[in-house]
Each structure stands twice: as structure tokens, then as C-alpha cells.
Amino acid sequence: MKKRYLTIASIAMGLAVTSCNDFLNISPTDKVTEKLVWSDVATGELAVNYFYGDIPNLGSFSNYQSSIGLTEGLTDEFKYGNMNYNAFCFIPNEVSYGGTVLTAPYVDSYLGVWGTTYEQIRRVNETLGKLHASSFDEHEKQRLEGELRFFRAMYYFELLKRYHQAIIYDEDLTKISTNKALDTEAAGWDYILADLTFAAQHLPVQKAAMGRLTSGAAYALITRAMLYCNNWNAVKEAAKKVFDMGYTLTSQYADAFKGEGNTEAIYTYVYGNVANTGHQFDSYYAPGGDHSLGMPTYGAFGTPTQDIVEEYELKTGGKADWTAWHAQGGTTQAPPYDQLEPRFAATILYNGAKWRDRAIEPFVGGKDGWAEWMRDAVNEGRTTTGYYLKKFLDESRDYKANSQSTQPWVAFRLAEVYLNYAEACLRTNDLAEAVIYINKVRQRPGVGLPALQNLTTAEQVFDALRHERKIELAFEGLYYWDMRRWGLATTQLTGIRRHGFKIEKSGSNYRYQYVTVDNVNLNYPQKMNRFPIPVAELNTNKEMKQFSEWQ
């Protein structure tokens, strides 16, 4: 007689409920049978742990949002500077330029998540079935079901925000069919809300942001997801639940992206110095000068643009006047970096900014360097915009000692929920309440911008909200999707070019020249508001037809 076993390590890594390896009838000490997994809450939790690895897929530390790099690289905020035809190099530029290259197979390849997401949904449903059949205490069952339904909602959210429709499956696996039509968009959003509501009601209420999922994380995801389907009341109700849980904005903006002691983090995914539990964000985006410290790549795959820099306000409020730096031939006048609000210096590295034990040198021939778009085909860590990203980078990382980065990913934080709530208030014509919560973010500790006043029209409040989301949530993987769901991408991300500073040093002086860092205009066609169904799905599913905009 033979028995089939699961290793504890396999469960922890996510091979949640099955194994294809047969073992002799012995009594191993590092393996458990599938039956035993669901006889004990501790091993059941290990099975659920598999899905936690997808939480970073919600944001910038993952390639899931876009296999070609940060989705900000498809906008005016960020520029990938290498001409090699690869992800994190020329391809994100090619997507941002649009045109005939944006065929259904191309978009599915670089921005689609269809097959992998449905696979995860199937795994969740299988695990839910096993959980329901277990003999766990009812309270523990509901808690773990809450976690699993959070994940299922998270996966469906990623499908709905891309495709607007999805095939809805639950734990009844007999419903799985090769030929199955898409459910309506409304049904999809209702399903997501139902799953997240169950999760919010059955997960523990606690302020600890690290560890297992909490009620706050579920309510926070409701506030994000329901913006996409205009369910403003659901956003407001969920946000108020989060507000009642006692989270507070951090004393400094930069602290909002740290792990321990982060008072505004609602859920944080923690990495560690163990093989396969880190990420490569530093190696992708750190300044080129870090290569001399042992960084395995040259870094600076992509860099912030002058366009996003000019979005930052002065410390006293209002925008800086950049006219002098736009003049033909440039200027030796120092840019007003030290006059900009604190979130700028916490997000972007600029000429002379302090980094590690040195000053950033993004000028021609500098330690970090400058590369001209197209002419310097391989940038090798040099910036094409005159800037480097700072947000999320680990300034203290020892590249030689640590092969991977370990800074945490803050999946949900209070400032975003404030802005989600403000948007819902705006859409329900409660302009005064919307402004209050926009101001909470503007006046957060360590930022202290003056309060917005005399905003009397919905258009004025929306402009303020757009600006605040762009600055507060910069490079957190939300801006591209915001512009898309607002219907603004077709106009605001079309017919424009990105800009930067070419900086040249002469003695102790610098000349700043405003330059275009694109060779063609950005172009976001209307059809990109809904991504295409993969050809493989259309070939096998006879109930499925390609969306009209992609036919």
C-alpha cells in the first residue's frame, strides 16, 4: 500500500492541496497527507499562505501590473531609458507610443493577466472546498474563508479593471467548463463586493499591518475596487470602517513605506533575507552610481520625468514657476528643489540630492550620469531625465551581502483610503467633505501644505483630487489605472511628450537644459480602456467572442 504526502515546505510555498509524488509507506517527519492538512488549523493556514505571495501583485514591486515595468512608464510620470527591445527598456516606451503595434496578442502579452489569474481563482476555490469539508472550529473556518475570499476578490478585481467582464466561478468545481460565456460587468463587481464584505466581517480587527490579513485590509480593498464601478456608497461605508480602526498618518511621509512602526500601514507584505523571498526593486531603479557598490545591474532602468517634478507644489503652496528652465539653451540658475514640498525629496533624487554618503550626480560625465534618449542606446545606469527614483529604494542595502532587496510592500495605507473616500464624496456631491479629506493628506505630518479653500465646484475639487493622488500616491502603481478609469487617458496621455533636464557641469556651476525625452508623441487609443481576450481563450471557448474594439 502507498500513501501520498505533502511536504511542509511545499505547503508553505503554496502547493496547497495536492502532490504528484508517490512515497513508500513510511512515516516521514517532514511531510503530511492531504487529509492531515485539513485536520489542523496550523497546517490549514500553511495551505492558505500560498496566496499571500500575490499581494505584491497589487503594486509596484511586482511585474504583475505590467510585465514590462512600472505602469507609470506608460504615462508622463516615468521614462524607461534603454533602447534594447526588452521589458524595462524600449517596450514600455513602445506601448506608451501606441499605434499599430497595439494588437490584441501584443497587449495581452505585456499587460494581460487572464490565464494566470483564472488559475489562481481555481486554486482558491479548490482550497475553499477543502476548508468547508474540514472539521475546523467554525470561527477558524470563517476566518480562513475570509482570507480566501479576500484573495478571490483580489484576483477578480485585477480581471475586472482590465477586461470589465469575467467568468465567475465559485468553489463548486463542477461549474468549470471549457465553453462558458462572460458574466456581466455588474455581476462581477457584485461578486467582488460580496467576497470582500464577508472577509471584512470575519477577519480580525487589529492595527497590526504585518502578518495575516485583517478586516482593515478587506475594507481598504473595497475602497479601491469600488471606485472602478462607481459604487460610491460602498467606498464611503468601507472607508469609515477603516477610519474607526485607529490608523494614523505617519510623522514623516517617507515613513509611510516602511515596515515596523508604520502607523498608517493597513496591510504590509514583508520580505526577508532568505532565497526567493526578496525582490529586485533596487537593482532595477537605484542610481547608476550604486553599481560601484556591488549592485548586480547598472540600475536606473527607468527614471522620473521633469513633468512629474513640476507637479509638486512649493512648501508655501502653489506651483513653482519653471519658465526660466524651459528657455532655449537652458540656464545656470539652480532649480527650486529646496523650495518644493517634502514629498518631492522623499520620492525623487535630483542633482545634488543626498544619497548614501554622497551627492547624486545626474549630469553629463557624473558618477550617476546622463544618457540621451535614442542616441545613447544603452543607458547603463545613467538617467535620461536628470532624475532618479528614491521612493521604495533601500538606501542602506549592502549589495554585496544581500543578493535581493527586502524592503516591505505596503499594499494599503490610510492616505489612499482618505483619497478614495474623498473621491466618493465628490461623486455624491458632498464637496465640503471631499475637500476635508484631501486636506488631511495635504496637511499630513511632515508635509504641512496649506489647506485648500474656496473650492466650490465639482470640477475644482476633482482637479485638486487628481493632483493629490498623483503626488501622494506617486509610483505606487495607481496613476495609469486612475487615468484609465477616469476616461482621461485618451486625451491626457495622447499627443504629449515627456521631458527631462540635460545637466552639464562646468567648474562648480551647472547648466540645466530642458529636453524632450521622447522621439514621438505618447498615444493612448480608446481601445486600451478594455484589454483584449487572449487568442488562446477564444480558440478553446466557443461561448467567448473578442471585444468589439479588438475585432
Side-chain angles (χ1 to χ4, degrees):
M1 175 182 177
K2 293 185 178 180
K3 290 183 181 179
R4 194 156 50 188
Y5 291 96
L6 291 175
T7 66
I8 294 293
S10 294
I11 298 172
M13 289 301 294
L15 302 180
V17 293
T18 60
S19 172
C20 60
N21 296 316
D22 288 334
F23 296 89
L24 295 176
N25 185 14
I26 58 177
S27 298
T29 59
D30 63 340
K31 304 178 181 69
V32 293
T33 63
E34 184 176 299
K35 180 178 180 180
L36 286 176
V37 169
W38 296 104
S39 66
D40 182 82
V41 171
T43 49
E45 285 181 341
L46 290 177
V48 176
N49 284 359
Y50 167 68
F51 303 103
Y52 276 82
D54 282 334
I55 288 178
N57 289 342
L58 293 166
S60 301
F61 281 14
S62 168
N63 294 343
Y64 184 85
Q65 292 297 321
S66 159
S67 68
I68 51 178
L70 302 182
T71 50
E72 284 83 2
L74 310 179
T75 76
D76 57 337
E77 285 192 357
F78 204 67
K79 171 70 176 181
Y80 283 93
N82 197 314
M83 287 297 294
N84 284 345
Y85 193 75
N86 293 308
F88 298 82
C89 296
F90 182 74
I91 294 177
N93 290 289
E94 186 176 57
V95 174
S96 71
Y97 299 151
T100 57
V101 70
L102 296 181
T103 63
Y106 179 96
V107 173
D108 175 58
S109 176
Y110 293 122
L111 293 168
V113 297
W114 187 280
T116 54
T117 305
Y118 278 110
E119 173 65 19
Q120 295 300 78
I121 290 169
R122 180 188 63 78
R123 288 176 180 268
V124 168
N125 286 333
E126 287 177 346
T127 309
L128 273 168
K130 299 260 191 300
L131 175 65
H132 290 159
S134 74
S135 57
F136 292 175
D137 170 86
E138 191 61 27
H139 174 75
E140 297 289 2
K141 265 190 178 182
Q142 290 182 338
R143 176 178 65 84
L144 290 176
E145 180 176 351
E147 293 187 21
L148 289 166
R149 291 181 68 171
F150 174 96
F151 291 122
R152 185 167 65 186
M154 181 180 79
Y155 296 131
Y156 271 113
F157 169 51
E158 294 300 327
L159 288 171
L160 265 288
K161 85 178 189 184
R162 288 168 173 80
Y163 306 101
H164 298 189
Q165 291 178 262
I167 302 172
I168 297 175
Y169 289 114
D170 59 23
E171 50 267 46
D172 183 356
L173 302 183
T174 64
K175 295 179 181 178
I176 295 176
S177 173
T178 301
N179 298 309
K180 194 169 176 64
L182 289 164
D183 288 281
T184 66
E185 182 173 6
W189 291 117
D190 287 346
Y191 195 60
I192 290 169
L193 181 58
D195 269 354
L196 289 175
T197 300
F198 181 93
Q201 292 172 347
H202 293 91
L203 292 174
V205 177
Q206 58 187 44
K207 288 170 63 176
M210 295 182 286
R212 305 199 78 82
L213 285 167
T214 64
S215 178
Y219 281 122
L221 185 50
I222 289 175
T223 72
R224 184 184 297 178
M226 292 299 106
L227 292 177
Y228 286 76
C229 62
N230 303 340
N231 190 341
W232 313 121
N233 287 332
V235 174
K236 291 166 73 172
E237 291 170 8
K240 289 176 182 177
K241 294 287 189 181
V242 173
F243 301 159
D244 290 341
M245 292 177 182
Y247 301 101
T248 58
L249 297 175
T250 55
S251 60
Q252 297 294 325
Y253 177 71
D255 293 340
F257 312 101
K258 296 180 180 178
E260 295 289 346
N262 186 340
T263 60
E264 76 175 81
I266 298 169
Y267 189 79
T268 300
Y269 185 86
V270 179
Y271 293 89
N273 265 321
V274 181
N276 300 319
T277 62
H279 55 86
Q280 299 298 329
F281 198 85
D282 292 305
S283 296
Y284 294 157
Y285 299 110
D290 278 15
H291 184 62
S292 65
L293 303 176
M295 184 167 64
T297 68
Y298 282 99
F301 289 10
T303 56
T305 63
Q306 180 64 24
D307 308 282
I308 181 63
V309 170
E310 293 184 15
E311 281 292 311
Y312 285 89
E313 294 182 52
L314 297 167
K315 295 173 183 176
T316 54
K319 298 285 185 67
D321 182 357
W322 291 89
T323 304
W325 292 272
H326 288 200
Q328 186 174 2
T331 178
T332 57
Q333 184 177 345
Y337 297 138
D338 60 351
Q339 300 174 43
L340 299 179
E341 55 132 313
R343 289 179 294 187
F344 165 70
T347 303
I348 295 173
L349 291 168
Y350 53 92
N351 187 36
K354 186 177 180 181
W355 177 252
R356 295 183 179 266
D357 295 321
R358 65 184 181 89
I360 289 293
E361 299 182 0
F363 48 84
V364 176
K367 185 179 180 71
D368 301 292
W370 188 83
E372 185 173 349
W373 171 242
M374 289 190 72
R375 183 165 296 180
D376 297 315
V378 181
N379 64 329
E380 294 185 326
R382 296 172 294 167
T383 175
T384 52
T385 63
Y387 299 97
Y388 291 93
L389 190 63
K390 182 178 183 181
K391 193 174 184 177
F392 308 131
L393 293 179
D394 182 2
E395 191 172 357
S396 64
R397 178 183 168 189
D398 184 339
Y399 293 104
K400 295 178 180 177
N402 302 323
S403 62
Q404 299 184 89
S405 304
T406 58
Q407 57 268 43
W409 170 248
V410 180
F412 305 106
R413 60 187 182 93
L414 182 62
E416 185 204 343
V417 178
Y418 278 168
L419 293 174
N420 295 345
Y421 176 73
E423 184 169 348
C425 290
L426 163 65
R427 301 304 186 185
T428 53
N429 206 34
D430 191 349
L431 303 187
E433 183 79 347
V435 172
I436 287 172
Y437 278 83
I438 295 171
N439 279 333
K440 283 180 182 288
V441 177
R442 290 174 56 81
Q443 297 182 292
R444 61 175 296 146
V447 174
L449 284 170
L452 297 172
Q453 298 177 342
N454 302 319
L455 302 184
T456 58
T457 69
E459 182 179 7
Q460 289 174 327
V461 176
F462 180 56
D463 287 344
L465 174 75
R466 278 183 57 198
H467 167 78
E468 211 56 45
R469 287 187 70 89
K470 190 169 186 177
I471 296 302
E472 175 69 25
L473 307 175
F475 308 111
E476 294 181 38
L478 299 172
Y479 175 60
Y480 173 79
W481 306 102
D482 280 347
M483 295 295 283
R484 195 170 170 269
R485 69 182 174 83
W486 287 330
L488 294 176
T490 52
T491 55
Q492 302 291 310
L493 300 181
T494 294
I496 63 170
R497 297 192 183 188
R498 290 166 286 210
H499 302 89
F501 277 162
K502 178 181 180 180
I503 309 170
E504 295 178 289
K505 184 177 182 181
S506 177
S508 60
N509 296 319
Y510 299 94
R511 175 166 293 277
Y512 295 84
Q513 184 176 355
Y514 184 71
V515 295
T516 300
V517 294
D518 289 304
N519 54 308
V520 295
N521 290 343
L522 271 64
N523 177 29
Y524 181 102
Q526 182 75 30
K527 66 181 181 179
M528 287 294 285
N529 284 333
R530 177 162 65 172
F531 293 163
I533 299 170
V535 173
E537 179 72 20
L538 297 172
N539 289 340
T540 58
N541 187 343
K542 303 308 178 186
E543 294 295 320
M544 192 84 70
K545 292 184 178 180
Q546 184 61 273
F547 300 130
S548 58
E549 53 265 61
W550 291 98
Q551 292 177 357

